Amino acid sequence: MDVNELAQQIQVLQDIEAIKQLKYRYSEGCDVAVNEGKTESFLEVFTPDILWDGGDFGTFKGVDEVKGFVAGMQAQLKFTYHFFTNPVVKVDGDRATARWHLLAIYTETEGRDTMLAGIEYDEYERVDGRWFIKKLKLTTAFYAPFKEGWHELVMGLKG
């Protein structure tokens, strides 16, 4: 293996790690947007023309539509916590794709606790040396109530 091949392999590994960090910022941004009402960190991970396809949750094109969706979620939820695991990331120059397993927990405004599991398929674009999410598609495995709940036990919240 020559130096150029090694440099290319290192670049791909750096890109994969940058994409993982981007998805972690997205995950945290989802939670901060609902839990604290702050959408800036959530919205800054997208290209301006983001296509956010949440399946049953709706499809939104562009940052403004996604921001409107988040405002609606803030009215329906009082708590969220997202986990993205098992990434499979493929980089091709300034474009990349990934598949992530998702587990999310929610407490709805009326106090019902729910869980969501699914897979997200993402497309990424590097712009001026920085990675952004260009397209996101959620395929839901289940979205169901969690009967015992955690909102009283862990969070001290009353339904």
Side-chain angles (χ1 to χ4, degrees), residues 107-120:
T107 300
E108 297 172 353
T109 36
E110 66 274 0
R112 184 175 83 149
D113 294 325
T114 58
M115 295 182 82
L116 173 125
I119 297 178
E120 281 194 1

Side-chain angles (χ1 to χ4, degrees), residues 15-145:
D15 291 338
I16 290 170
E17 183 59 26
I19 289 166
K20 287 179 180 179
Q21 295 299 316
L22 175 66
K23 191 65 170 187
Y24 302 149
R25 286 196 315 275
Y26 168 79
S27 177
E28 182 178 49
C30 290
D31 299 333
V32 168
V34 170
N35 300 341
E36 299 176 25
K38 300 175 185 173
T39 60
E40 297 81 20
S41 63
F42 176 70
L43 297 172
E44 71 182 10
V45 301
F46 302 125
T47 59
D49 63 343
I50 176 68
L51 178 59
W52 193 96
D53 180 353
D56 293 339
F57 297 98
T59 301
F60 307 94
K61 178 89 168 129
V63 172
D64 289 338
E65 284 189 17
V66 173
K67 186 176 183 178
F69 166 70
V70 172
M73 293 305 291
Q74 291 167 331
Q76 296 175 31
L77 302 172
K78 60 182 170 183
F79 177 77
T80 70
Y81 208 85
H82 290 75
F83 303 88
F84 290 94
T85 65
N86 304 40
V88 177
V89 181
K90 295 179 182 174
V91 176
D92 184 14
D94 288 335
R95 304 229 182 247
T97 59
R99 184 191 76 222
W100 299 85
H101 287 231
L102 165 63
L103 178 65
I105 59 173
Y106 306 104
T107 300
E108 297 172 353
T109 36
E110 66 274 0
R112 184 175 83 149
D113 294 325
T114 58
M115 295 182 82
L116 173 125
I119 297 178
E120 281 194 1
Y121 300 91
D122 294 351
E123 294 179 15
Y124 304 93
E125 182 176 42
R126 184 179 7 222
V127 179
D128 295 327
R130 186 172 163 210
W131 287 100
F132 295 91
I133 301 171
K134 184 167 185 63
K135 183 178 179 184
L136 179 152
K137 179 171 178 40
L138 170 64
T139 301
T140 300
F142 67 83
Y143 181 64

